[in-house]
Amino acid sequence: MHKVVTVEVEKDILSANRKLADENMSLLDEHGIRSFDFLGAIGSGKTLLIERLIDLLKAKGKRCAAIAGDVAGDDDFRRFESHGVPAANISTGKECHLDAHLVDHALEKLPLHDLDYLFVENVGNLVCPVDFPLGSHKRVVVISVTEGDDMVRKHPAIFAFSDVIVINKMDLSEAMQVDPDALENDAMRANPAAKVVRTDARRGEGLDELLAALGI
Amino acid sequence: MHEISVMSEIVKGIIDEAQKRNALRVERVSVEIGEYTMLGEEQLRFAFKVISKDTLLENAELDLRTVAGTIECECGFKGEASPASDTPHRSVPVLECPKCGGGARTVGGRECVIRDIRMVVPDV
Ligand SMILES: Nc1nc2c(ncn2[C@@H]2O[C@H](COP(=O)(O)OP(=O)(O)OP(=O)(O)O)[C@@H](O)[C@H]2O)c(=O)[nH]1
Ligand SMILES: [Mg+2]
Ligand SMILES: [Zn+2]
């Protein structure tokens, strides 16, 4: 004979990733490394901003590394490497976001005993990375004026769950007829606690403000 | 876009539980989705149908419930965030403290929990 039973489980599917993220952060803390996730729209300038920050920090004698997350290819990874810093590449294959497990593996490839700062570039996507913290100290979301003035209103969650919001490609705002004040207003409403920074990564403007927002 | 991978984990978790008890089949599963996750209900239902095929879960009822997100503020407020009045359709509320207007921290609503499973097991 058979019977029907109801079993209580209470299993959080997303907690496995969060646990790994906490482990990543502990590992980074043990080595005294501050780490930053860069999330954001496709082509908003995540890689270029990180490249600029790496150069600035190197000039100050700081040791940086970067992890490049992309669906395919090693373009961003090579760009990081060309700045003479250790880098690791993660090709997610199919996934639309990095997760803490992938980052854990990338950390194995980096000389953790020899680093001050780590930058982790996520897959260009304003939706999926939200559910998968990676274990970094600060989350930075990068948008640019070329995506239009409604980016924040269309994707409020990623802004709500980030610490720093970057509005990049300020040099193009006039050409795009996008008002950065409108973007900034939306950003402040989505997350009153976040720091909002405007940058022009092409010409290297706003980088000191960005470093300050990162607490560097 | 990541509903398929999340649902694969859910189905795996349920099959584990069912196999532990030698279940013949699963009749119903209750899953709670936090309001602040980026998981869409329709996509989850579709993913469940596809992934549960040819498993103990085939044809099981999926009971999906959304759990309200909660926030906590330095002023002492703890509770649900109120959506900004001019954007009532927004799925994610502005994380503004309804009491003092300050920036609040989320404390609940980002989880995806298998609550319980109803299954047919041998009566021993
Ligand atoms: N004019 C201008 N161009 C920029 C700026 N920042 C980045 N770019 C250019 O925009 C393009 C995309 O920049 P990336 O740094 O590759 O952007 P990304 O966000 O890393 O892109 P994905 O990794 O593909 O999502 C490149 O051609 C950059 O040179 C900026 O502030 N102003
Ligand atoms: Mg890039
Ligand atoms: Zn408050």
Side-chain angles (χ1 to χ4, degrees):
Chain A
M1 273 306 290
H2 302 130
K3 61 180 179 184
V4 175
V5 295
T6 298
V7 181
E8 305 256 331
V9 189
E10 295 268 341
K11 184 178 159 81
D12 186 348
I13 295 300
L14 296 174
S15 72
N17 181 75
R18 274 198 293 269
K19 192 161 161 283
L20 280 174
D22 289 345
E23 286 172 20
N24 287 346
M25 193 184 280
S26 306
L27 182 65
L28 293 165
D29 282 340
E30 277 165 33
H31 291 85
I33 301 169
R34 295 284 296 170
S35 70
F36 307 95
D37 285 356
F38 277 62
L39 316 162
I42 294 180
S44 59
K46 298 178 293 297
T47 308
L48 190 56
L49 278 169
I50 295 172
E51 291 180 274
R52 295 281 189 244
L53 294 179
I54 287 173
D55 285 346
L56 272 179
L57 290 168
K58 267 186 85 177
K60 293 183 185 179
K62 300 292 184 193
R63 300 160 301 173
C64 300
I67 294 174
D70 271 305
V71 172
D74 61 359
D75 295 82
D76 288 357
F77 166 72
R78 285 162 186 264
R79 280 166 68 183
F80 293 139
E81 271 205 319
S82 75
H83 293 261
V85 296
N89 193 35
I90 303 177
S91 292
T92 62
K94 293 185 186 101
E95 284 291 355
C96 41
H97 56 87
L98 290 182
D99 60 41
H101 178 71
L102 292 169
V103 168
D104 176 26
H105 281 305
L107 289 177
E108 288 167 10
K109 296 183 196 147
L110 295 173
L112 299 183
H113 46 276
D114 215 19
L115 291 180
D116 300 306
Y117 298 108
L118 171 67
F119 297 97
V120 183
E121 181 180 343
N122 214 313
V123 178
N125 180 331
L126 288 170
V127 182
C128 308
V130 176
D131 287 338
F132 298 89
L134 306 178
S136 294
H137 294 93
K138 279 198 157 78
R139 242 187 187 186
V140 183
V141 56
V142 181
I143 52 168
S144 80
V145 296
T146 56
E147 290 109 49
D149 61 11
D150 51 8
M151 258 311 108
V152 182
R153 293 195 296 277
K154 286 181 178 166
H155 301 276
I158 199 159
F159 298 92
F161 297 121
S162 293
D163 305 293
V164 178
I165 298 168
V166 179
I167 303 172
N168 190 34
K169 306 195 189 177
M170 282 298 295
D171 54 311
L172 300 179
S173 67
E174 242 163 72
M176 299 305 297
Q177 298 189 355
V178 167
D179 177 9
D181 289 340
L183 280 171
E184 176 155 352
N185 273 338
D186 286 344
M188 302 287 290
R189 297 209 58 200
N191 186 348
K195 297 200 164 92
V196 183
V197 182
R198 302 180 185 194
T199 58
D200 168 356
R202 168 67 44 84
R203 279 180 285 196
E205 278 164 26
L207 297 177
D208 289 335
E209 289 82 353
L210 179 52
L211 282 179
L214 297 178
I216 298 181
Chain B
M1 255 162 101
H2 55 292
E3 281 85 357
I4 298 268
S5 52
V6 169
M7 188 47 83
S8 306
E9 290 299 314
I10 293 176
V11 168
K12 221 175 358 177
I14 294 168
I15 290 177
D16 278 355
E17 292 295 330
Q19 283 177 341
K20 265 192 238 165
R21 295 169 177 81
N22 298 317
L24 285 97
R25 66 174 184 277
V26 172
E27 291 192 333
R28 202 187 71 139
V29 294
S30 304
V31 177
E32 289 178 357
I33 311 292
E35 183 188 4
Y36 298 155
T37 67
M38 301 304 276
L39 297 167
E41 185 171 332
E42 272 316 299
Q43 293 91 323
L44 284 174
R45 287 192 186 284
F46 174 71
F48 181 73
K49 225 183 196 158
V50 175
I51 297 165
S52 64
K53 205 169 166 344
D54 300 325
T55 72
L56 289 173
L57 277 73
E58 185 158 10
N59 296 324
E61 179 195 340
L62 175 62
D63 171 27
L64 270 186
R65 267 172 290 180
T66 303
V67 177
T70 47
I71 60 173
E72 196 175 71
C73 177
E74 280 178 1
C75 76
F77 174 85
K78 190 171 172 181
E80 284 181 35
S82 50
S85 51
D86 58 337
T87 54
H89 56 281
R90 190 176 261 190
S91 62
V92 176
V94 171
L95 296 181
E96 213 171 61
C97 172
K99 208 168 132 201
C100 73
R105 210 165 58 82
T106 51
V107 286
R110 305 197 64 186
E111 53 285 298
C112 168
V113 180
I114 305 173
R115 192 51 75 197
D116 55 52
I117 310 170
R118 192 169 74 206
M119 55 181 100
V120 180
V121 296
D123 192 6
V124 281

